[in-house]
Each structure stands twice: as C-alpha cells, then as structure tokens.
Amino acid sequence: MMRTLVFSLAALLMAAGMAAAQVAAPSFNPTPTISLTTPNPAIAPWDGPSRIGASVGKLKFDDPITTPTVNPDATGNTTGLLAQYVGDMFAVGVAQSTIKIDFDASLGGGFAKSTGQVVQAGVQFAKRFSLGVSQELVKQTDSAGGNQENKTIWAGGTVRLADVVYLGAAYGSETQKDKAANPQLQLDRKARKIGVAYESRDKDRGLHLEFYKTFAPAAADPTISFTADESDVTGGAVEFVVSRFFFGYSQTKEKAKDIAGVAKDSTTSKTLSLGFVPEQGLAIVLNHFANENNDPVTGVTTGKASATDIGVAWMF
C-alpha cells in the first residue's frame, strides 16, 4: 500500500513544468519546483522575462499506520531544469524533472524513478488574450519491474482584464499506459482546469492572488484491470514581492474516487517559497512542500510526504 502511495505521489510531483503551476496567471517564482499540476500553457506569454533555471532537492515519505516505527519509509532526490523564451507576442519553453526514491527495508527495499518532460508554447493578442498548447510526458519505473507512461496534451486560453485580472481555462487529453503488462494496457481520459487571478507587479513590488479548480474523471482500460482514480482538486496561491524579496504560499486539496465511485484518501498539499526575485538577473528561491493523505471517513492521516528544494534562474 505504501509503495503504491509513494509511487503515485511521485508521478504527481513530476509536474515541475514552468516554475510553480498556475491556471490564470504566472507565478512570481521563476525556478523549476515541485508542483501537483502543470500550468495552463496559455499563461506562457505573460510569464516574462526569458530564463534558464535549475533546482535540486530532497524528499521523504512516511506511513504512520502500517510502518509506524520506521521514519522515514522512503527517501529521495529531485532535480529540475527549465528554459523559457518570452517575446513580445510569443513564448516557448521546455522543462525536465527527475525523482529517484529509495524504499526502506520495511517496504521491501528497492527504488522507484520518475522522469517528466514538459514542452509548451503560447501566443498573446493585443495584451488582452492568449492561447497555448503543451505536452506533458511522465515515465515511471521501479526495481520491481513497474513501467508506466502518462502523456497529456493541454490546450488553454486566458483573458486579461484591466491589466490585473486574469481568467484562465485549459482542456487536456490524457493517455496512461502500463508498459509492464503483457499485453500492454492503456486508458484514456479528458481533464480540465479553470482559474481566476489578480496579479500586479511594478519593478520591485508585486502581488499575485489565485484560485483554481482542476478535474479528471475516473477511467479504465477495456478489461478494467488498469484504472485511474477520479481527481477533483481545489487550489489557491498567495504571492508577493517586496524590494525583490519573494514570498509565496499555495495549497491544494484533492478529493479522489475509484472507478466504482468509492471515495479514496483525500490529499492536502502545501508549498511555502522564500527567495530573491529581481526583474532581471539571478533569482534564488527556497521551496518547501508538504503533503498529507487522510482517510475520507475517519480523517485519520494515512501518509505524509515532504520535500525541500532550492532553485535558481537567470532571467534576461
């Protein structure tokens, strides 16, 4: 159970995309960091200036129920890379992230590895509207022979009102493959996200507030032996910059159901970020991520994860 939870969460953490994930407006954090969803690709044209960045981090997973005497149950390392060009109308970016997890002997030992890549492009019109597309590819393998691949194509748009209010939405087509199965198993489903944000930045000061929702239905392959749970996520973010010093806090809560409609553990995730973020030049941001899974009936904590990474970006 814990190995499955860790492996599933690692897949979610691969969405290290173009810095922190947002749906309506870009984050002030220019570095690649852990995030539970990739951003709406349509925000790319608003996400200047151009940059290159990297991050490294540590993570751990704990199961307070089945292995209460083991702390932690699994540990790992994270790395992230990104490059993004933002012009007057057009933006394009690529990112890659890797998570390597080592399991404690209480969970059978061994390792799991996830690698994710995101490619996105967007264009804006009259500084009022934007459109974007992206491809997110996540590959997962482990020492027990697991081999899974998830690919999602996103198309999105944003509307900018009064220079500070943003409305955004995106629609995705996801394909998951269990490549270790013989014959190979595959399922397909659609996903969507919508958000609203207030964002204003004037040189060394700025404020960003955002609320968003994402949803993906439960799905299964024709044999119903390979399944994906329904995911309903509510999220929000608060960020501000004062004299080029950056503070960010975001939180998401995911409610999940299996293919039969039975409620699964809910997941609450929080991210705290602190750093130095000038308009141009070198940015440095420290990010701390905390995740908690709770039983949907009793509310008892069934799993925890935490990660800390440091990211840098050169903006030009």
Side-chain angles (χ1 to χ4, degrees), residues 15-308:
M18 307 303 161
Q22 305 296 334
V23 176
S27 169
F28 289 153
N29 184 351
T31 68
T33 186
I34 288 174
S35 177
L36 286 180
T37 60
T38 49
N40 177 357
I43 69 174
W46 313 125
D47 195 16
S50 302
R51 75 199 62 158
I52 55 175
S55 66
V56 294
K58 295 280 190 179
L59 56 84
K60 67 177 182 178
F61 299 87
D62 295 306
D63 180 356
I65 296 178
T66 59
T67 55
T69 62
V70 178
N71 186 23
D73 297 295
T75 58
N77 302 300
T78 69
T79 59
L81 296 170
L82 74 81
Q84 182 163 299
Y85 167 79
V86 182
D88 291 337
M89 291 184 59
F90 180 77
V92 61
V94 296
Q96 177 169 312
S97 52
T98 301
I99 294 177
K100 173 72 182 299
I101 300 165
D102 293 307
F103 293 101
D104 184 82
S106 64
L107 298 177
F111 70 89
K113 183 178 181 180
S114 294
T115 302
Q117 296 96 27
V118 178
V119 180
Q120 71 175 22
V123 60
Q124 59 96 354
F125 308 92
K127 298 188 182 299
R128 287 287 177 259
F129 309 95
S130 71
L131 298 173
V133 294
S134 68
Q135 176 180 285
E136 170 192 339
L137 180 64
V138 177
K139 296 181 179 180
Q140 308 167 67
T141 57
D142 68 16
S143 53
N147 185 359
Q148 186 169 324
E149 180 179 287
N150 299 358
K151 181 170 75 172
T152 308
I153 305 296
W154 287 100
T158 68
V159 178
R160 188 184 185 193
L161 306 173
D163 295 330
V164 294
V165 177
Y166 296 77
L167 304 176
Y171 182 80
S173 177
E174 178 184 4
T175 298
Q176 296 188 19
K177 296 179 180 180
D178 183 352
K179 297 184 137 185
N182 187 17
Q184 177 177 290
L185 302 176
Q186 176 177 318
L187 64 85
D188 301 281
R189 63 176 177 176
K190 308 301 180 183
R192 60 184 183 269
K193 56 183 74 177
I194 186 169
V196 58
Y198 171 92
E199 181 166 301
S200 174
R201 181 158 187 184
D202 180 17
K203 295 183 179 179
D204 296 335
R205 296 182 297 175
L207 175 65
H208 173 205
L209 308 172
E210 181 154 348
F211 173 81
Y212 58 90
K213 295 273 294 181
T214 73
F215 179 80
D221 77 303
T223 67
I224 318 182
S225 56
F226 180 46
T227 64
D229 294 336
E230 175 185 300
S231 172
D232 187 349
V233 177
T234 301
V238 178
E239 299 178 330
F240 59 82
V241 175
V242 178
S243 298
R244 294 178 290 182
F245 288 96
F246 165 73
F247 170 84
Y249 175 79
S250 63
Q251 180 171 321
T252 64
K253 183 168 185 177
E254 179 189 38
K255 295 180 179 180
K257 296 180 181 178
D258 65 18
I259 193 68
V262 178
K264 304 284 289 291
D265 288 358
S266 64
T267 303
T268 300
S269 304
K270 303 175 183 179
T271 303
L272 178 65
S273 302
L274 299 169
F276 179 76
V277 181
E279 283 196 299
Q280 290 189 324
L282 181 65
I284 302 176
V285 179
L286 180 68
N287 306 285
H288 180 73
F289 169 89
N291 170 285
E292 184 173 288
N293 295 79
N294 298 99
D295 185 277
V297 178
T298 65
V300 172
T301 298
T302 56
K304 291 182 178 182
S306 64
T308 300

